[in-house]
Structure formats: structure tokens, C-alpha cells
Amino acid sequence: MRGILTRKSVIAFIAISLIGAFAPLMMSQSPYAITGAPFARPLWWRGGTLSATRNFTINDGRLDLEWDKNPPAIFSLSGRITAKPESNVRVIWRTRDKDYLLDNLSGSETYWINQDGRDMIFKQALGLPLISRSVDYLFPAHGAYSLIVEGAESVELKLSLPGERQGLLGTDQRGRDVFTMLIYGIRTSLIIGISATIIASLLGMAFGLTAGYIGGWCDTLIMRVVDILLSIPTLPILMVLAGIWGKGLWQLVLILSIFSWMGTARSVRALVLTVRESPWVESLRALGAKRGYILWRHLVPETAPILLANIALGVPGAILAEAGLAFLGLSDPRLISWGRMLHEAHSFGAFTEGAWWLLLPPGFGIVAICLIFMDMGKFLEEKIDPRLSGK
């Protein structure tokens, strides 16, 4: 078993676990924070034509800028303007061909500005088609643009131009950073996968030991329950239980555990049946050893290798089951997981938008975690039964 620590899959698992545990603690950005425009592409994608997010501060009543990219995804202006009550304050956006009057203010000393180019009222005030993108008119071509504030005593404005490129892996339909969500999703997927598999393995070990050692009607009853549970379609039952018990993290772990212990119970029972009549077990009985002592001190250690292999092989199934439930919308919407990312990407049109950066990272993450645990489980199985290695 010493060679397992040098296996590449184990090293990869340790690295992913450390990233999932400590990377969120070092990130100042929340996975729920809106960082850019919806469906913004990664920063490294087509940087020659697509604009990145740019923010400007206006304190002297005028901003001049050069624009040499495609129009930004959003035009947003916010802040405060102070002026004399009798003054007429005008906020103007100047392009090469036309001036747009963004706001015309009077009768107060302080004005709070909060304009978003996606609002229908904003488009109507500028005389733009309501179904169009206002940024296509505010940034019609490459060149010089100006934001001018007339008649104000002091200006504290922020011009935000979220671009079509944002972050290492872009943004989702709400403008949240995909890379941050991917890192936070590691923790959720591993917690659900490992916790559900450990609980299911312990249940399977308990039922398998009981059925194999005691035998008789107890063995028959447990095995019939196993047969019934294995014959039930798992996904519909999981959907029903998720709807009844709720969509929390630990409810999901419990639901997955209930329908994942049967294989372990069968494997442990088969092992116990082969050793319960062995001479050393008979000797323990002859010496007056109690049933609990034999089970705990001798049979449980015998089942440990099988238990470890089943845990390693069961984690991928639990992760895929969680991803399936999340994809169907049966997980907690406040919980960031890879399955939930795929569900929201599908629900909000990532396929039609061509937003591959919302689909590939969580998909590859699920595949990578499953392959890692499959390799670890295969290695443990070969150690338990060298005949499986083909050597």
C-alpha cells in the first residue's frame, strides 16, 4: 500500500483537495459578486477585438477617452453632482457624429446619478430603439469620446464600461466570475461525494457483517432489502426525496447515502461468509469470544481493504448523482457546485449563446475528479486481489 502515495491520481487528489480547502479562504472575491457583464468571455479570448472592463472616475466635469475595440457590453454611469439650485446641469455624451443628452437637471443642490444603458427608460430618453443595444449607438466606431458635465459645482461620477472579456474564465449569465465559482465548487463536490460515500460504506459494512456472520432470517431479510433497493430506479426516487426533505447540503448527502450502500453490503457479506467458518474464527468461539468481539476486532479489519476500494470507487457515483440532481434543479440554489453551474448554464441559454466557458470548466472538473477516484479504486482493488492486475 506504500506505492499509493506516489500514484499520480493520489497526488492530483491531494492537490485538488488543498485548492478546494484553502483557495476560497485566500480569495477576496465572493462567488456571488457581480464582477462584469453577463456572458463575458475570458480575458485571453480574442483580445484584439473584444473589449475588457474599463472604469473611469470623473471629478473635473469632463472625461476624454480613446476607444479602439468593439463596443462594451454595458454603459453604466453613477455618482453625485452638486450645483446651485438655479443652475441647469446637463450631462452629455459626445461621439464623433452626435451629442447625446444623458440627463438634464435643475432645481436642487445635489443630484444622484444612476444610469444603465440596458434600461428602457434610458433608451427612450435618448431616442434609441427599445430592442437595440444602446452601446452600439454610444460607441458607433473607434475614435475619441467625451463625457461632459455642464453647470455643476462639483462632480463625483464613475463611468463603468463592463466589456465582453472578464476574468480568467469569463462570467456567467449574472456577471459572476466563473473561475471563482469553479474553485468554490471543488469544496462542495468533494464534501458531498466523500461524505455520502463514507456514510454509505459504513452502512454497507454494518449490514454486510450482520448478514454474513449471523445468517439465517437476518441474512435473508437484509439481502431482500438490498435486492429491492437495487431494483428501484434511483434517479426518480432521489428526485422525490429531494423534493420532500429539502435541497440542503446534508439532506443531499443523506439521500445519496441511503441508495449507495447495497454494493458494499454484498461485498462485505461475501467476505464474511468465506471466513466465518475458518479455523481461527472457530477457535475464538471455542475460547468463549463474544460475537461483538469477533466482529469488531477480527472481521472489521478483514473488510477494511474492500471498504477502502469501495469508497474510492463510490465517490465518482456520488459526485455524478449530485451533479445530476443539481442539473435538474433539485439542489440548493445558494450552494455553488459544478452541477449547479451546469444547470444554470443550461437554463439561461449558454448553449444558444455559445458560452462554452460556462460548460467546459465544470464538466471537465467532474470528469477529472471521477477519473482520479476511479484510478485510486482500481489500484486498491488490484492490491486486494492481485489477479485483477493481469500480472
Side-chain angles (χ1 to χ4, degrees):
M1 303 295 285
R2 291 176 297 179
I4 192 171
L5 295 178
T6 60
R7 199 169 182 85
K8 292 181 180 178
S9 59
V10 176
I11 296 174
F13 167 67
I14 294 173
I16 292 175
S17 300
L18 292 175
I19 292 173
F22 296 106
L25 301 177
M26 296 183 289
M27 287 182 169
S28 58
Q29 183 174 284
S30 169
Y32 307 100
I34 297 176
T35 60
F39 294 116
R41 292 165 174 79
L43 278 174
W44 44 269
W45 181 258
R46 292 176 59 189
T49 57
L50 299 179
S51 60
T53 298
R54 298 177 66 181
N55 296 308
F56 303 91
T57 301
I58 304 104
N59 293 320
D60 57 358
R62 184 182 180 95
L63 170 68
D64 297 308
L65 60 95
E66 288 286 336
W67 196 265
D68 59 354
K69 303 284 186 181
N70 289 353
I74 300 173
F75 180 94
S76 176
L77 181 66
S78 60
R80 183 180 66 173
I81 298 174
T82 58
K84 296 180 180 179
E86 62 272 13
S87 299
N88 185 31
V89 179
R90 301 171 73 235
V91 182
I92 301 171
W93 177 257
R94 177 165 295 168
T95 69
R96 183 174 56 185
D97 303 321
K98 185 178 180 180
D99 287 355
Y100 290 96
L101 180 62
L102 302 182
D103 226 333
N104 191 10
L105 308 168
S106 62
S108 180
E109 294 183 353
T110 303
Y111 306 97
W112 292 97
I113 307 298
N114 187 12
Q115 296 187 340
D116 192 317
R118 297 169 293 182
D119 290 343
M120 294 295 181
I121 297 176
F122 180 89
K123 297 176 185 179
Q124 187 176 23
L126 299 185
L128 304 178
L130 298 183
I131 61 173
S132 66
R133 294 201 324 158
S134 61
V135 291
D136 293 333
Y137 295 88
L138 298 177
F139 293 86
H142 298 173
Y145 296 90
S146 300
L147 179 67
I148 304 168
V149 181
E150 298 178 347
E153 289 188 337
S154 66
V155 177
E156 298 176 9
L157 294 178
K158 178 183 178 182
L159 176 63
S160 180
L161 303 174
E164 296 180 335
R165 295 185 297 122
Q166 176 72 36
L168 187 61
L169 291 176
T171 62
D172 68 351
Q173 73 283 346
R174 301 179 187 175
R176 299 174 299 181
D177 186 69
V178 174
F179 178 74
T180 303
M181 296 172 65
L182 184 71
I183 296 300
Y184 274 80
I186 295 175
R187 183 165 55 185
T188 302
S189 295
L190 288 181
I191 287 175
I192 291 176
I194 295 175
S195 299
T197 306
I198 289 176
I199 294 174
S201 298
L202 293 176
L203 285 174
M205 181 185 70
F207 286 118
L209 287 171
T210 303
Y213 190 79
I214 296 177
W217 66 267
C218 184
D219 181 21
T220 302
L221 176 62
I222 292 175
M223 288 301 102
R224 295 298 77 77
V225 172
V226 168
D227 292 338
I228 292 172
L229 291 177
L230 288 175
S231 66
I232 297 175
T234 306
L235 186 58
I237 296 299
L238 294 179
M239 294 170 60
V240 171
L241 292 179
I244 295 175
W245 290 351
K247 302 179 180 180
L249 175 65
W250 298 110
Q251 288 96 321
L252 195 58
V253 169
L254 180 60
I255 292 171
L256 294 175
S257 302
I258 291 175
F259 289 90
S260 303
W261 60 269
M262 294 81 72
T264 302
R266 279 186 164 182
S267 300
V268 172
R269 172 182 175 271
L271 176 64
V272 173
L273 287 175
T274 61
V275 301
R276 72 176 183 179
E277 304 299 337
S278 59
W280 61 271
V281 176
E282 293 290 344
S283 300
L284 288 171
R285 292 199 194 101
L287 291 173
K290 294 182 179 180
R291 180 182 296 172
Y293 175 84
I294 296 174
L295 288 172
W296 180 251
R297 293 294 301 272
H298 296 280
L299 295 186
V300 168
E302 288 288 327
T303 63
I306 291 180
L307 203 64
L308 290 175
N310 283 347
I311 288 175
L313 292 172
V315 170
I319 291 176
L320 289 174
E322 182 276 331
L325 290 174
F327 184 76
L328 295 173
L330 296 174
S331 67
D332 190 346
R334 300 166 298 178
L335 193 66
I336 300 295
S337 71
W338 290 342
R340 191 74 198 180
M341 291 173 65
L342 290 174
H343 165 71
E344 293 190 354
H346 176 263
S347 300
F348 289 92
F351 291 97
T352 57
E353 290 284 342
W356 53 266
W357 57 93
L358 294 181
L359 304 169
L360 295 184
F364 281 139
I366 293 172
V367 171
I369 289 291
C370 291
L371 289 178
I372 286 172
F373 277 98
M374 291 293 288
D375 183 75
M376 292 166 56
K378 181 175 180 293
F379 176 81
L380 291 172
E381 276 192 328
E382 291 175 355
K383 290 297 182 181
I384 296 169
D385 188 355
R387 293 173 298 178
L388 297 175
S389 63
K391 296 180 180 180

